[in-house]
Amino acid sequence: MARIIVVTSGKGGVGKTTTSAAIAMGLALKGFKTAVIDFDVGLRNLDLIMGCERRVVYDFINVINGEATLNQALIKDKRCDKLYILPASQTRDKDALTKDGVEKVLTELKRDFEYILCDSPAGIERGANFAMYFADDAFVVTNPEVASVRDSDRMLGILASKSQRAETGQEPIKEFLLLSRYSPSRVKDGGMLSVDDVKEILSLPLLGVIPESKSVLEASNAGVPVILDEKSNAGAAYKDIVDRYLGEEVPHRFIKVKRGLFSGLFRSK
């Protein structure tokens, strides 16, 4: 049975598209046939991060409007034959999305795919509402700052009340916390909320912490999901997240400040 995952947040710029690309690639590399959909109609960034922007001919809205088949619009990733991308439109506005149209596309995808990731726009506008409405699981991405966490808390209320599962009395969406752009040294200096602070505010199970890393920007600019960067801490963090989501026991990394080789020599006794 296919599982629909929405990657969401209340605030923009927290790393949702980076997360969607990385986790979709991670699931596909594990052997699961995976599709990732860009719900950010009018902007369309997922295809850039996946490195397939030149191959976009038809998009999500074309499929909803019957102007192309799903098979015509899906782009097969060149690095992993289990991964497919459905890009958003840059030329339409968000009103082009309809609940019936989104349901039709998701229903068709569920016949052939094991995981379907919905890369949601930030906030509570039309695209974000439709991205989360049909979800089974929600990855709530937040930065360790008060505004980001507060907005994510608001999203949890919407996930709990405005989803199809809520409307029909089914088991609630399973929610998971992903803490991005985390810097233990800045937490120690008081410049950022700690993991425990965020967990206490949101009361969500922690799926993973993605450390602040320039490799994320470098990977995005190169059109390569950062999970493929074997030397990157951020890439390693996303691999851990995929493993945890699939039920493996993986200890959390990148939470504590790394001590230098000589740091212990200079502590007062």
Side-chain angles (χ1 to χ4, degrees), residues 43 121 235 241:
L43 292 179
I241 287 167

Side-chain angles (χ1 to χ4, degrees), residues 2 42 89 184 213 224:
S89 171
S213 172
V224 178

Side-chain angles (χ1 to χ4, degrees), residues 198-247:
V198 178
K199 285 171 64 178
E200 184 177 350
I201 295 167
L202 297 180
S203 300
L204 289 181
L206 179 66
L207 195 58
V209 174
I210 303 102
E212 202 167 39
S213 172
K214 65 179 182 179
S215 63
V216 172
L217 179 59
E218 292 169 352
S220 296
N221 288 339
V224 178
V226 71
I227 197 170
L228 296 177
D229 185 349
E230 296 180 358
K231 297 180 181 179
S232 163
N233 284 345
Y238 279 116
K239 286 182 180 179
D240 289 351
I241 287 167
V242 171
D243 289 341
R244 287 191 200 98
Y245 176 67
L246 294 174

Side-chain angles (χ1 to χ4, degrees), residues 18 24 28 43 50 68 80 122 125 146 158 164 168 212 247 256 265:
T18 295
L43 292 179
M50 297 298 296
C80 181
E125 46 92 346
V146 172
I158 295 170
Q164 185 181 55
T168 57
E212 202 167 39
K256 297 179 180 179
L265 298 177

Side-chain angles (χ1 to χ4, degrees), residues 128-148:
N129 285 333
F130 288 147
M132 71 177 68
Y133 182 77
F134 298 99
D136 301 306
D137 300 329
F139 292 176
V140 180
V141 185
T142 188
N143 293 157
E145 58 184 50
V146 172
S148 182

